[in-house]
Amino acid sequence: MSKSIVKELTRLGNTDHTGLLNPIDRPLSYGTAGFRCLATDLPFVVFRVGALAGLRARQLGQCIGVMITASHNPMLDNGVKVVDPMGEMLVEDWEVHATEFVNAKDDEVAAVIEKLEHLVKEGQLNASETPQGKVFCAFDTRDSSQYLHDAAKKGCEFVGTEFVSLGLLTTPQLHYSVRCENDPTFGMAGELGYYESLSNAFNALNKNIDAPNYDKMLVLDCANGVGASKFRKLLGRIDSELLEVEFTNETGSLNYKCGADFVKILRSFPEGLDAAMGVRCASFDGDADRLVYFYRDTNGFCRLLDGDKIAALIAGFIQSEVDAAGLTGQFKIGAVQTAYANGNSTAYIRDVMKIPVDCVPTGVKHLHHAAIKLDIGIYFEANGHGTVVFSQLFKDAISQGDQDNVHLKKLQLFTKLINETVGDAMSDLLVVETILRNNNWSVEDWDAIYEDAPSCQLKVEVKDRTVVKTTWDETECTHPAGLQKEMEELIIANGAGRAFVRPSGTEDVVRVYTEGTCEENAKVLANAVAHLVQKYCA
Ligand code: NG1
Ligand code: ZN
């Protein structure tokens, strides 16, 4: 850890890491990514979140996770979020408690803790024995992470709950470990169990498959994040006849001009990666929960295969394996997307593959909740964050069916290869590689399943982004009054496309998304909409 950041954190927090006192005067809110801001503002936040997680763990008598990361954001940012027992995002009413706890003035903190202690006691009334609960905590490679981890530990111990440090992990590895700790049928908690389960499934799904169009060579941009060292460990357990990886951006400046977000937004090659034509490349983000693919086409341009294309690839594979296994029509298969999904991906999945598509608000919890209503729920954000979840009904059917049926076997292995708890770049990468080999596809074959509608994404800085309000699915803007109408006029004047705006949940900006007839057209529309946002939010 760099000395200066420790000094700065120590100045703003307390020297003993507690940072119990609230030194900042603006409200913070527990959003889609938990609390996220400059690392120097976080010590007291993380201390309180550590305490909150400890109380949640005791309320349920289970293991709860605390992850310290700011994902694809710059090195000087950090964040903290809580993982619930099944490896999913924190339940909504505890998000409200978290916001209240963190914003409590110094003289209000005791009352908030007392209220949460009351919930703990209520939870324990229903239990046969007094459950203890524990907290698993992990962090990414940011300079501030270890310091903030210590603050979480102090917070958790402050409320008397056992704190277990899992050290440096990817975000999805923490989600996976929490799930395994509470549900050992899912797997073995910890890093080794994770590598074991994924690599066994990958090796079994890929062996003895002759795929002349598939090239086992992959170039990987690790965003200079935690995914670099962790994927090396995972790869060490994978048969080198099946997959070979050239690593780039392993130890440089975190997320700087590289990583999944950079490649997705700019649709260009990350710095430090010079891909030859047709070579399959992939990018993780800083905490390795997002994945995008890309390659250099015959004109030398960067072609992006984002979360939407990964979802379509997975949906096609699962559908054909379900059919081949003789299970057609027996289970509800569906895809879940957000308004950021490319319009042509939605049309392809819904109209060509005939798989129903649901659109929900931005944020993993919304996608996850919609997906678990299905037997096979494939959910992805366009930015490359997503996974597949399976119902118990489906899992029972594939594990109790005829074990000589190779397609049932493949589906079983597939449920082990994908990290059901949350979007996971390392697991998703192995899923994509498996499907490409099984389909005997090159990256161009995969890219050709549909053509993306030209699109553009911008962020607009405004005085107060919360004045922008939208409908539930975020496709229409309801406030400020008049903005939506003028935006629709712009779309018509522009000749085609669609546009929407929404306040970011993780950055102090309003996001603009447009689709148009060509890249330039989408960009012109996006800039015009951005001006509109500035005008209405002035
Ligand atoms: P916000 O900042 O609310 O747009 C971003 C991503 C989300 C999600 C969160 C959590 C986009 C457009 N938004 O949210 O999908 O990944 O960060 O990290 O990609
Ligand atoms: Zn991330």
Side-chain angles (χ1 to χ4, degrees):
M1 181 166 18
S2 80
K3 282 219 175 85
S4 63
I5 195 143
V6 177
K7 223 165 110 190
E8 182 69 351
L9 286 165
T10 311
R11 188 179 68 76
L12 291 162
N14 296 344
T15 44
D16 65 352
H17 300 93
T18 63
L20 181 62
L21 301 184
N22 179 348
I24 64 177
D25 52 6
R26 71 196 148 84
L28 293 168
S29 103
Y30 192 100
T32 43
F35 295 105
R36 198 173 280 185
C37 53
L38 267 178
T40 44
D41 282 345
L42 275 174
F44 86 96
V45 175
V46 178
F47 176 88
R48 290 182 188 193
V49 170
L52 179 109
L55 292 163
R56 175 84 175 137
R58 273 175 38 220
Q59 180 203 30
L60 302 175
Q62 287 185 298
C63 176
I64 291 291
V66 171
M67 184 70 204
I68 294 165
T69 177
S71 184
H72 57 282
N73 291 125
M75 179 63 146
L76 293 181
D77 286 354
N78 215 329
V80 60
K81 68 176 175 188
V82 179
V83 177
D84 252 1
M86 289 299 106
E88 74 281 39
M89 301 296 169
L90 182 64
V91 72
E92 227 152 272
D93 47 353
W94 277 72
E95 287 188 0
V96 177
H97 299 320
T99 299
E100 188 189 12
F101 195 174
V102 162
N103 290 308
K105 299 280 167 245
D106 300 337
D107 57 357
E108 296 164 352
V109 171
V112 178
I113 295 181
E114 202 173 306
K115 187 172 109 180
L116 296 177
E117 286 281 9
H118 187 70
L119 292 176
V120 171
K121 288 210 183 79
E122 270 179 7
Q124 291 179 344
L125 279 182
N126 306 324
S128 48
E129 53 191 282
T130 306
Q132 294 306 311
K134 67 172 86 151
V135 170
F136 275 2
C137 180
F139 49 84
D140 72 8
T141 56
R142 277 158 224 273
D143 286 343
S144 56
S145 283
Q146 176 73 55
Y147 182 94
L148 293 173
H149 157 275
D150 296 348
K153 182 171 193 285
K154 284 271 159 60
C156 183
E157 289 170 350
F158 181 75
V159 298
T161 304
E162 183 190 353
F163 181 92
V164 181
S165 175
L166 301 191
L168 184 69
L169 286 184
T170 71
T171 297
Q173 286 180 319
L174 176 73
H175 285 254
Y176 183 90
S177 295
V178 169
R179 171 67 178 263
C180 293
E181 185 68 13
N182 294 311
D183 171 16
T185 63
F186 195 78
M188 202 169 78
E191 226 179 316
L192 287 184
Y194 173 92
Y195 298 134
E196 195 80 353
S197 175
L198 266 65
S199 59
N200 286 344
F202 180 83
N203 289 336
L205 274 164
N206 287 278
K207 69 168 185 230
N208 302 331
I209 292 176
D210 187 30
N213 295 338
Y214 170 79
D215 180 354
K216 69 168 181 173
M217 192 64 220
L218 171 82
V219 180
L220 180 64
D221 156 29
C222 302
N224 296 315
V226 60
S229 62
K230 302 303 178 187
F231 196 65
R232 278 195 179 273
K233 288 193 186 175
L234 178 51
L235 196 66
R237 293 166 179 266
I238 279 172
D239 183 351
S240 60
E241 288 302 308
L242 300 177
L243 180 64
E244 249 179 64
V245 177
E246 185 186 317
F247 286 79
T248 59
N249 295 330
E250 289 190 86
T251 55
S253 179
L254 182 68
N255 295 322
Y256 183 68
K257 294 191 176 173
C258 62
D261 199 57
F262 177 89
V263 173
K264 162 72 181 157
I265 300 293
L266 298 180
R267 253 170 278 146
S268 66
F269 294 100
E271 218 156 78
L273 186 153
D274 187 21
M277 212 170 69
V279 171
R280 206 168 60 257
C281 306
S283 277
F284 291 168
D285 73 338
D287 62 336
D289 61 357
R290 291 190 189 182
L291 171 73
V292 298
Y293 273 75
F294 52 97
Y295 68 98
R296 193 183 294 284
D297 70 8
T298 46
N299 299 318
F301 293 121
C302 181
R303 293 274 308 184
L304 171 75
L305 297 93
D306 62 5
D308 300 336
K309 223 158 222 174
I310 296 174
L313 180 77
I314 295 177
F317 177 78
I318 292 184
Q319 192 176 44
S320 72
E321 289 304 320
V322 165
D323 288 347
L327 300 173
T328 309
Q330 295 182 33
F331 297 97
K332 280 184 286 175
I333 307 182
V336 186
Q337 300 185 317
T338 71
Y340 289 99
N342 192 277
N344 288 356
S345 77
T346 313
Y348 178 77
I349 298 171
R350 191 189 51 209
D351 304 337
V352 179
M353 303 177 92
K354 310 283 182 212
I355 292 177
V357 182
D358 201 0
C359 178
V360 300
T362 304
V364 184
K365 70 174 179 197
H366 298 292
L367 290 118
H368 192 88
H369 286 166
I372 57 175
K373 292 186 187 137
L374 302 159
D375 290 307
I376 304 171
I378 302 142
Y379 72 82
F380 266 86
E381 294 187 298
N383 60 32
H385 185 110
T387 186
V388 185
V389 287
F390 304 95
S391 68
Q392 199 51 49
L393 190 75
F394 178 74
K395 284 186 182 168
D396 290 346
I398 58 174
S399 65
Q400 288 158 13
D402 171 11
Q403 294 306 300
D404 292 332
N405 180 329
V406 291
H407 302 287
L408 277 187
K409 201 84 206 149
K410 268 195 194 178
L411 287 166
Q412 275 175 39
L413 289 166
F414 190 91
T415 63
K416 290 284 167 198
L417 184 60
I418 194 109
N419 182 350
E420 274 185 272
T421 61
V422 77
D424 181 337
M426 301 202 289
S427 154
D428 290 343
L429 184 145
L430 295 184
V431 163
V432 168
E433 296 300 316
T434 296
I435 300 176
L436 293 180
R437 178 184 287 275
N438 275 262
N439 289 4
N440 185 23
W441 278 3
S442 66
V443 70
E444 288 100 334
D445 294 331
W446 171 24
D447 192 20
I449 59 177
Y450 66 83
E451 181 69 22
D452 272 324
S455 68
C456 181
Q457 223 190 104
L458 293 179
K459 7 185 186 183
V460 189
E461 281 179 26
V462 296
K463 207 172 100 202
D464 177 11
R465 74 186 196 278
T466 63
V467 300
V468 176
K469 296 197 176 10
T470 70
T471 51
W472 181 78
D473 67 3
E474 301 177 332
T475 54
E476 278 178 45
C477 174
T478 53
H479 291 90
L483 201 162
Q484 178 69 24
K485 187 164 168 287
E486 274 204 57
M487 192 158 66
E488 282 165 13
E489 286 162 7
L490 277 177
I491 295 171
I492 292 168
N494 193 58
R498 70 181 177 108
F500 69 90
V501 298
R502 55 173 278 281
S504 160
T506 61
E507 289 176 69
D508 197 11
V509 295
V510 173
R511 293 198 201 282
V512 173
Y513 178 86
T514 61
E515 285 179 6
T517 51
C518 63
E519 297 293 335
E520 190 50 33
N521 176 267
K523 217 165 157 180
V524 168
L525 179 58
N527 281 315
V529 172
H531 279 126
L532 213 57
V533 170
Q534 261 151 1
K535 181 177 101 179
Y536 275 91
C537 296

